[in-house]
Amino acid sequence: MAKAKATAFFCKECGYESSKWVGQCPACKEWNTMVEEPTAKRESSARGISGAGTTGLRSVQKPVKLEEVSIDEQDRISTGYQELDRVLGSGIVAGSLVLVGGDPGIGKSTLLLQVCRNLALAGRKVLYISGEESLKQIKLRANRIGTISGELLFLCETNLDDIEEAIRETKPEIVVIDSIQTMFREDVASAPGSVSQVRESTSVLMQIAKGMGIAVFIVGHVTKEGVVAGPRVLEHMVDTVLYFEGERNASYRILRGVKNRFGSTNEIGVFEMQEQGLVEVENPSEYLLSGRPEEASGAVVACSIEGTRPILLEVQALVTQTNFGMPRRTAAGTDYNRVNLLMAVLEKRCHYEMSRYDAYVNIAGGVKMNEPALDLAIVLALVSSMKDKAVNSRTIIFGEVGLSGEVRAVSMAEQRVNEAVKLGFETCILPKVSMDKMKKVTGIKLYGVNNVREAIGLI
Ligand code: TYD
Ligand code: MG
C-alpha cells in the first residue's frame, strides 16, 4: 500500500467532481452531497462511444455525409404500451440507452418486466439483468403480471464484465439493467453505487448499446440519503431519460420524459398500479376528475397540456383566516412561488386582502403540473374558496395570468376546449385572445376574458 490514494470528491446528485470537499455543490447547488471516492481510471473513461476497450469492438470511423446515412423507420420497436411508446417518441430505438429513474418501490421493475414480456411476445429477444432480485423473486413478480413466453432470458448478475459476456453470447435485441446502482466493474476501486462506479458502468453499457445496436434500459433509483449516486449522475450520458413518479399511496403512476434524443420531451404516460401489475390509463382526464365533489367551493377544473395531450385536472384551494401574524401558504402539485405571485396579483389588482388569509393550493390526484395555463384556475379557486362560493362544476378554466392581472393567451386552446367538450363540460372561461383566434366550437359556451377581474365577475 505504498501507492498514494487518488481520490476526489463527487456530488452524488449531479456527479460534479471537485478536488476538495465543499458543503454545497457548485453545479447543482445541493447541500451535503459531496462524497469522497477513488478517482476512476483515466484511460477507461476516455473511451469514445464507438471504440471499446473491453468490448473489443474498436474500429476507426470515417467522416461521412449525412446523405449517406440511412434511417430505417423499422428501427423503432413498439413496447406494447402506447403510453410508453409516446414518451419514448413512438417506440424504442435500436442502439439507444434509456434511463428509467424513480423512487424505490414506485414500479420501475414491474414496468420493465411487463415491457420485456410484451417484447418477447412480439418475437423479440430480450435479456433482463437484475442485480437486486433473485430469480425466484422475479418469478413471483412475473406470476403476478401474467404468462411469459418467447425469448425472454433472465440473469442475476452485478459484475459488468460477466454481463458483457452474457450479452455477447445471447445477442439480445433489448437489454434491461435493473438498477445501475448495483452494477460494478472490477477495475474501478470504489463500491457499487458510488459516482465513479455508476458512471463507469454506464459507459460500458453505452459501448454495448452503440457498438452492438442493442437498446438498453437502465433503472436508476432516486436516492435521498447515503452515498449512493442518483440517476442524475448519468443523465448526460444516456439518450433518453424517463422518470416514473407518483404518490406511493395513490395507485396511478406518471412516466415523464425529461430528455429525449429521439423525440419530444414533456410527454407523459399514465399508468395505474393494480394487482396484476401496471395498466395503461388511456384517458387520464377522466381518471383525474373521477370522484370530484359537485359544487364545492374552492374547486375548479383546469386544462393543462402535457406534451401533445390536453389533460383535465382539478385545482383545489382552501383559504382561511390567518390566526398568526404570518399567513401560511402551501402548494402541492404546483409551484409554490407561482401561487404566491398569483395571490399578490389578487391583492394588488383586485383588492382582496390576501395577507389576512392562509391559503392551501392542491392539484387533486397528486399529480405535478407547472403549466402557466393553470394560473387562472388557481386564481379562481382561491377566490371561490375565500368567498365560499362554488364554481359551476361543469366549467373549465384555463389562461395565464400576468403581473398586472391580465389574462394572457395560451397555446393549443382549441385542443383544450375539445377535450372539455369530450368530457361533457358546458362552459369554458379562457383568455379572450385565445378565443378570438379559435375556430368555432359547438357544444360548449365560451367566455373570453381580458383580465382577472372579468373572470371573477363570471363565477
Ligand atoms: P417495483 O417494480 O418493485 O418497484 P421498483 O423497481 O421501482 O423499486 O414495484 C413494487 C411495488 O409495486 C410494490 O410496492 C408492490 C407493487 N405491485 C403491485 O401493486 N402489483 C403488482 O402486480 C406488482 C408486481 C407490484
Ligand atoms: Mg426494482
Side-chain angles (χ1 to χ4, degrees):
M1 286 303 288
K3 226 170 74 192
K5 227 172 45 176
T7 61
F9 292 87
F10 292 92
C11 168
K12 64 186 170 70
E13 279 294 319
C14 69
Y16 180 84
E17 183 178 342
S18 158
S19 57
K20 63 179 198 306
W21 188 85
V22 283
Q24 186 188 29
C25 169
C28 68
K29 307 281 180 242
E30 287 288 330
W31 286 94
N32 261 335
T33 55
M34 302 303 280
V35 287
E36 186 173 12
E37 281 178 19
T39 40
K41 279 191 359 198
R42 277 283 154 245
E43 156 257 318
S44 52
S45 58
R47 278 177 316 203
I49 54 166
S50 55
T54 50
T55 50
L57 280 171
R58 187 171 192 101
S59 60
V60 181
Q61 297 277 329
K62 282 202 201 78
V64 289
K65 286 184 189 161
L66 276 185
E67 295 109 77
E68 295 160 24
V69 181
S70 67
I71 310 167
D72 288 330
E73 260 311 302
Q74 296 97 328
D75 280 355
R76 296 266 186 182
I77 306 165
S78 168
T79 59
Y81 289 117
Q82 249 188 13
E83 297 288 309
L84 178 57
D85 284 351
R86 181 160 12 80
V87 182
L88 287 170
S90 70
I92 306 169
V93 178
S96 67
L97 207 57
V98 181
L99 169 68
V100 180
D103 291 330
I106 205 80
K108 300 179 294 296
S109 307
T110 309
L111 176 71
L112 289 175
L113 187 63
Q114 286 181 255
V115 168
C116 287
R117 185 193 56 172
N118 290 353
L119 289 167
L121 279 178
R124 308 272 173 182
K125 191 162 183 182
V126 190
L127 178 59
Y128 184 103
I129 300 163
S130 179
E132 300 197 328
E133 288 159 311
S134 66
L135 288 171
K136 271 199 190 123
Q137 282 171 301
I138 297 175
K139 189 163 171 98
L140 282 177
R141 186 201 304 276
N143 284 345
R144 285 174 80 171
I145 65 171
T147 50
I148 288 184
S149 63
E151 289 256 31
L152 173 48
L153 302 172
F154 292 92
L155 175 69
C156 291
E157 182 58 69
T158 53
N159 186 334
L160 265 168
D161 296 326
D162 296 347
I163 289 174
E164 201 179 317
E165 213 177 293
I167 293 175
R168 210 165 280 289
E169 243 165 55
T170 46
K171 294 193 177 56
E173 282 173 87
I174 294 111
V175 170
V176 172
I177 301 285
D178 198 345
S179 134
I180 188 72
Q181 281 107 342
T182 56
M183 300 296 154
F184 74 97
R185 280 187 55 187
E186 269 166 7
D187 55 356
V188 178
S190 50
S194 62
V195 176
S196 29
Q197 275 292 5
V198 164
R199 273 195 182 157
E200 282 300 305
S201 306
T202 311
S203 90
V204 171
L205 293 170
M206 180 155 72
Q207 283 148 22
I208 294 173
K210 307 291 165 185
M212 302 170 69
I214 297 172
V216 179
F217 282 86
I218 299 176
V219 171
H221 293 296
V222 172
T223 50
K224 293 274 148 45
E225 64 259 336
V227 292
V228 176
R232 279 192 52 203
V233 170
L234 45 135
E235 269 182 6
H236 63 282
M237 302 173 84
V238 300
D239 297 309
T240 305
V241 179
L242 311 179
Y243 277 100
F244 209 32
E245 32 187 73
E247 296 278 314
R248 197 179 277 255
N249 37 15
S251 62
Y252 58 81
R253 305 277 183 267
I254 290 177
L255 192 66
R256 199 182 286 278
V258 180
K259 164 182 175 181
N260 195 348
R261 290 193 181 138
F262 310 111
S264 111
T265 49
N266 300 327
E267 288 287 2
I268 64 167
V270 186
F271 291 88
E272 189 184 351
M273 181 64 92
Q274 293 182 354
E275 267 309 296
Q276 316 79 21
L278 290 155
V279 182
E280 290 180 280
V281 176
E282 260 145 45
N283 198 336
S285 301
E286 227 164 77
Y287 193 79
L288 284 175
L289 291 182
S290 61
R292 185 163 59 100
E294 298 278 310
E295 309 297 334
S297 74
V300 303
V301 179
C303 185
S304 172
I305 296 272
E306 288 291 324
T308 50
R309 256 198 320 186
I311 290 179
L312 301 192
L313 43 94
E314 188 188 353
V315 177
Q316 303 175 328
L318 185 64
V319 178
T320 57
Q321 204 103 39
T322 303
N323 280 324
F324 301 105
M326 183 76 175
R328 253 181 85 83
R329 271 100 206 252
T330 66
T334 185
D335 185 20
Y336 172 76
N337 291 320
R338 194 89 202 157
V339 170
N340 275 333
L341 182 147
L342 294 171
M343 294 188 69
V345 169
L346 274 177
E347 175 116 32
K348 182 89 179 169
R349 307 290 168 198
C350 307
H351 309 293
Y352 287 113
E353 282 187 85
M354 292 317 251
S355 52
R356 281 181 34 222
Y357 293 94
D358 293 341
Y360 309 91
V361 174
N362 175 36
I363 309 274
V367 286
K368 288 193 197 78
M369 300 276 169
N370 270 328
E371 225 211 329
L374 292 184
D375 289 356
L376 190 60
I378 295 174
V379 165
L380 293 185
L382 286 167
V383 172
S384 155
S385 173
M386 190 172 142
K387 295 188 165 174
D388 204 12
K389 251 168 97 176
V391 177
N392 182 342
S393 62
R394 304 273 90 201
T395 303
I396 161 154
I397 298 160
F398 60 84
E400 183 182 340
V401 173
L403 288 189
S404 35
E406 81 276 19
V407 176
R408 307 172 74 105
V410 296
S411 60
M412 301 167 82
E414 210 160 316
Q415 279 94 322
R416 296 179 205 252
V417 172
N418 286 337
E419 177 79 3
V421 174
K422 239 187 349 197
L423 284 165
F425 282 81
E426 285 151 11
T427 46
C428 173
I429 302 178
L430 72 169
K432 183 94 186 340
V433 205
S434 300
M435 188 178 84
D436 294 344
K437 267 196 266 169
M438 240 163 57
K439 280 187 237 119
K440 233 181 112 46
V441 269
T442 49
I444 192 162
K445 219 164 150 30
L446 300 180
Y447 293 97
V449 292
N450 287 312
N451 54 49
V452 172
R453 235 169 305 153
E454 275 179 43
I456 293 172
L458 281 173
I459 57 168

